[in-house]
């Protein structure tokens, strides 16, 4: 003891440095056992904590929290759906000076109009599997007028190539007049059987929303939309006068091709009004199948 005290009182530095090793507790439990004991301890603490409250109160608080979370989730989902429908249900008219008809002549529009023929091969791509908010614009033509009409058709639709919401195509009535006939029958709920004259349908333009199952119809022989005569003209009117509403489609005498009528006259204005959403829409429950020939 004296030697220790003498060393402690000595002001001289020690000649050696000793490193203390970490002591090992031989009596401590294994790591897994310590983890298990800690979990048991926490569980016991929670049990005693919740036991100190009334069971009905605890259940009420938990149920209230779940109801509030469910309500918030439901409201968020509904708002998201509403916003999405407003954004993509209708092709918006871009706020772009190129859409002004007066300015359009001064713009250098070199974007080509991509026209695909609507056949049984491309039917799913252009109608059935059409993405939400995308519109397919279809021109009905025949071999006699196809070259002339497609040139005019592409020129009129040139400004709309700036929008990603449109697809453009054409359909040959020699091959698929039956599909247009079935479409009209589907629209009127098969109230009567139709037998259309394909020559009278040349120049008809359909703006089809495949996702929402509706379409709008353009024909140069009937453009008076203010009086909603389009429905009567196509045979969609429910009035008693609809017995003769298919005359134009079936009558050979009124053939617009034979009358040398500008078949696409007014299509540009019609497209503008379609973008604005002011045209009447014809709903269908399903799209008629376009079988292979």
């Amino acid at each position: 003891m004296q030697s220790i005290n003498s060393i402690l009182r000595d002001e001289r530095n020690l000649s050696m440095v000793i490193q203390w090793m970490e002591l090992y507790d031989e009596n401590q439990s294994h790591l897994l056992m310590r983890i298990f004991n800690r979990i048991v301890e926490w569980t016991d603490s929670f049990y005693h904590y919740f036991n100190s409250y009334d069971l009905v109160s605890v259940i009420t608080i938990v149920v209230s929290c779940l109801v509030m979370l469910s309500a918030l989730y439901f409201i968020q989902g509904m708002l998201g759906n509403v916003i999405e429908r407003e954004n993509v249900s209708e092709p918006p008219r871009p706020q772009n000076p190129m859409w002004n008809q007066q300015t359009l002549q001064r713009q250098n529009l070199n974007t080509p109009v991509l026209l695909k023929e609507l056949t049984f091969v491309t039917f799913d791509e252009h109608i059935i599997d059409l993405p939400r908010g995308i519109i397919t614009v279809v021109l009905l033509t025949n071999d006699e007028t196809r070259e002339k009409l497609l040139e005019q058709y592409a020129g009129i639709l040139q400004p709309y190539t700036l929008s990603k919401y449109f697809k453009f195509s054409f359909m040959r009535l020699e091959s698929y007049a039956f599909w247009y006939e079935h479409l009209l029958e589907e629209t009127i709920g098969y109230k009567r059987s139709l037998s259309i004259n394909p020559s009278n349908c040349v120049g008809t333009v359909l703006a089809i929303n495949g996702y929402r199952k509706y379409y709008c119809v353009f024909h140069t022989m009937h453009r008076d939309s203010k009086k909603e005569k389009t429905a009567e003209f196509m045979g969609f009117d429910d009035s008693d006068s609809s017995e003769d509403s298919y005359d134009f489609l079936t009558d050979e005498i009124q053939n617009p091709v034979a009358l040398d009528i500008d078949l696409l006259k007014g299509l540009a204005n019609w497209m503008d009004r379609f973008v604005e959403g002011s045209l009447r829409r014809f709903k269908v429950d399903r799209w008629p199948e376009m079988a292979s020939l």
Side-chain angles (χ1 to χ4, degrees):
M1 188 68 182
Q2 290 181 351
S3 59
I4 293 176
N5 291 331
S6 62
I7 293 174
L8 292 175
R9 289 194 300 267
D10 194 354
E11 296 179 355
R12 294 176 300 174
N13 294 330
L14 299 177
S15 59
M16 299 181 63
V17 178
I18 299 177
Q19 293 182 353
W20 291 89
M21 304 298 292
E22 184 178 357
L23 299 179
Y24 179 73
D25 186 1
E26 297 179 353
N27 296 321
Q28 71 177 355
S29 303
H30 191 270
L31 177 61
L32 294 179
M33 185 59 68
R34 296 201 304 272
I35 295 175
F36 176 76
N37 292 336
R38 185 59 60 87
I39 293 175
V40 171
E41 181 182 346
W42 288 350
T43 304
D44 186 63
S45 299
F46 279 116
Y47 174 75
H48 287 291
Y49 177 77
F50 283 109
N51 249 359
S52 62
Y53 292 93
D54 182 23
L55 181 61
V56 177
S57 302
V58 174
I59 295 176
T60 303
I61 294 174
V62 173
V63 171
S64 300
C65 293
L66 293 177
V67 170
M68 287 189 294
L69 292 176
S70 300
L72 288 175
Y73 179 79
F74 177 76
I75 294 173
Q76 183 179 7
M78 290 294 293
L79 289 176
N81 291 335
V82 170
I83 294 174
E84 184 179 0
R85 284 198 298 268
E86 290 179 353
N87 289 338
V88 301
S89 61
E90 296 296 334
R93 184 169 185 168
Q95 299 298 323
N96 193 309
M98 289 186 178
W99 289 79
N100 187 311
Q101 294 296 330
Q102 297 178 355
T103 312
L104 188 61
Q105 299 176 356
R106 300 195 297 268
Q107 300 294 335
N108 183 18
L109 297 177
N110 296 321
T111 305
V113 180
L114 181 60
L115 297 176
K116 290 187 178 180
E117 183 176 0
L118 183 62
T119 65
F120 73 96
V121 177
T122 61
F123 180 71
D124 287 349
E125 175 188 354
H126 284 77
I127 306 295
I128 302 298
D129 299 330
L130 207 61
R132 190 172 188 174
I134 304 300
I135 302 297
T136 295
V137 183
V138 185
L139 170 67
L140 308 188
T141 183
N142 57 13
D143 292 338
E144 178 184 354
T145 61
R146 180 174 56 181
E147 184 175 350
K148 177 182 177 181
L149 284 182
L150 288 182
E151 183 177 354
Q152 297 178 5
Y153 181 60
I156 294 172
L157 297 179
Q158 179 72 54
Y160 298 91
T161 58
L162 302 173
S163 173
K164 63 181 180 180
Y165 296 104
F166 286 103
K167 286 187 175 183
F168 308 107
S169 62
F170 65 95
M171 186 180 74
R172 293 186 299 113
L173 289 167
E174 288 89 350
S175 302
Y176 298 105
F178 69 90
W179 181 84
Y180 183 48
E181 184 177 285
H182 293 335
L183 177 63
L184 298 179
E185 292 176 338
E186 177 72 30
T187 306
I188 64 175
Y190 294 96
K191 294 179 180 179
R192 62 166 63 193
S193 178
L194 300 181
S195 179
I196 65 174
N197 177 12
S199 297
N200 292 341
C201 303
V202 174
T204 300
V205 177
L206 305 176
I208 299 175
N209 188 323
Y211 183 85
R212 299 186 64 186
K213 292 184 175 61
Y214 74 80
Y215 67 95
C216 299
V217 185
F218 166 83
H219 197 287
T220 190
M221 293 290 289
H222 195 91
R223 301 191 303 271
D224 190 1
S225 62
K226 294 182 179 179
K227 298 182 180 179
E228 289 295 338
K229 292 183 179 179
T230 303
E232 301 174 6
F233 162 70
M234 302 304 295
F236 301 151
D237 188 30
D238 294 332
S239 64
D240 296 335
S241 63
S242 62
E243 294 294 329
D244 300 325
S245 58
Y246 302 98
D247 289 346
F248 183 86
L249 294 177
T250 58
D251 195 345
E252 183 73 29
I253 299 177
Q254 300 185 51
N255 186 340
V257 178
L259 296 176
D260 194 22
I261 296 173
D262 185 359
L263 297 176
L264 299 182
K265 182 179 180 181
L267 178 59
N269 293 333
W270 183 86
M271 284 294 298
D272 285 342
R273 291 187 17 250
F274 173 78
V275 173
E276 294 170 357
S278 60
L279 294 178
R280 178 170 179 178
R281 302 172 181 175
F282 301 106
K283 301 282 292 185
V284 294
D285 294 330
R286 64 180 183 86
W287 296 111
E289 295 183 359
M290 183 176 282
S292 61
L293 300 178

